[in-house]
Amino acid sequence: MSIIRDSDKEAIKKEIAGLTGPVKLINFTQELECQYCKETNQIVKEVAELSDKATAETYNFVTDKEKVDSFKIDKIPATVIMGTDDRGIRFYGVPSGYEFISLLEAIRIVSSGNSGLQQRSKEVLGKLKKPLHLQVFVTPT
Amino acid sequence: MAYESPLVTADMVEATEFPHLAIKYQVMGVPKTIINEELHIEGAMPEQMLIQRIEEKFT
């Protein structure tokens, strides 16, 4: 059974209808001791089905060690959103509620190659000398 | 921001699923943004303000 309702699927399809470049949704999961892994994996797959530009990949957090290390995944459920290359965008936890809106936004950004940031913001980011790790905490409601 | 700079990584973290992190960073309300463990921002901040804080602290 589908998690995303049919009526929502139509709305999401419209939201991501204009995708130009390929998008990969890479989900890290495991069977046991992960309350929301299964649900997250299903949502990711269902979203990927809504656009011919999007594909979903699934890796096991325990056994696919090489992928876990290369994407620097430290907790699950984790989903990497990438276009032609990995730009460091990760979603941890089940993408529902506001996080789902952000997920669609991330998909649009990596597909279009347009972050939507102001020019001044891009200039400031260009001045960074060391890595910047942003963690945005959200809740489903 | 992560898209624009190879030095930036951005994690969206569902707070209720990772309570140890929510406790560690004292997440009482959302959104709450933690930047490099040093900068804690409560609530949604307009792009301009956020960038200014980043410029002051990290450039």
Side-chain angles (χ1 to χ4, degrees):
Chain A
M1 210 185 87
S2 173
I3 293 178
I4 303 173
R5 282 190 302 247
D6 285 345
S7 57
D8 290 338
K9 280 185 180 174
E10 287 310 310
I12 297 163
K13 261 188 199 171
K14 276 183 200 153
E15 283 287 317
I16 57 176
L19 294 187
T20 48
V23 178
K24 269 196 241 177
L25 309 175
I26 305 173
N27 181 239
F28 290 84
T29 188
Q30 73 182 36
E31 294 284 322
L32 301 170
E33 290 175 24
C34 178
Q35 196 181 349
Y36 295 102
C37 274
K38 205 175 160 190
E39 195 182 354
T40 301
N41 186 255
Q42 193 179 333
I43 290 174
V44 165
K45 285 176 177 166
E46 287 180 19
V47 170
E49 280 171 11
L50 299 176
S51 167
D52 56 5
K53 298 282 184 200
T55 49
E57 290 176 20
T58 302
Y59 295 105
N60 186 293
F61 185 57
V62 180
T63 55
D64 294 317
K65 211 68 198 129
E66 203 178 302
K67 289 284 181 188
V68 170
D69 291 344
S70 71
F71 285 102
K72 298 187 176 74
I73 301 301
D74 61 356
K75 52 190 170 286
I76 49 167
T79 309
V80 175
I81 312 298
M82 62 178 279
T84 47
D85 57 352
D86 178 23
R87 301 283 185 112
I89 300 172
R90 310 278 186 272
F91 283 73
Y92 291 102
V94 59
S96 61
Y98 285 120
E99 204 169 353
F100 191 78
I101 307 294
S102 303
L103 176 75
L104 295 182
E105 183 64 23
I107 288 173
R108 277 196 297 260
I109 288 171
V110 301
S111 173
S112 67
N114 179 9
S115 67
L117 285 186
Q118 295 167 10
Q119 190 53 38
R120 154 127 183 88
S121 302
K122 293 179 187 175
E123 284 163 18
V124 170
L125 295 174
K127 290 195 291 182
L128 289 172
K129 297 280 184 290
K130 57 176 190 172
L132 208 62
H133 179 210
L134 283 84
Q135 296 179 84
V136 183
F137 286 87
V138 293
T139 53
T141 49
Chain B
M1 288 197 244
Y3 190 83
E4 290 295 342
S5 168
L7 287 173
V8 180
T9 48
D11 297 344
M12 295 284 290
V13 185
E14 212 285 281
T16 56
E17 284 177 59
F18 302 98
H20 61 291
L21 292 178
I23 291 166
K24 179 182 175 186
Y25 297 118
Q26 299 176 325
V27 179
M28 305 294 181
V30 291
K32 179 162 183 173
T33 306
I34 312 294
I35 305 179
N36 283 10
E37 317 280 321
E38 296 169 49
L39 191 57
H40 291 217
I41 295 164
E42 310 259 1
M45 187 178 267
E47 180 184 335
Q48 260 177 313
M49 282 172 71
L50 181 61
I51 279 292
Q52 196 173 335
R53 298 285 298 275
I54 288 172
E55 186 173 30
E56 286 163 8
K57 207 156 172 79
F58 300 107
T59 64

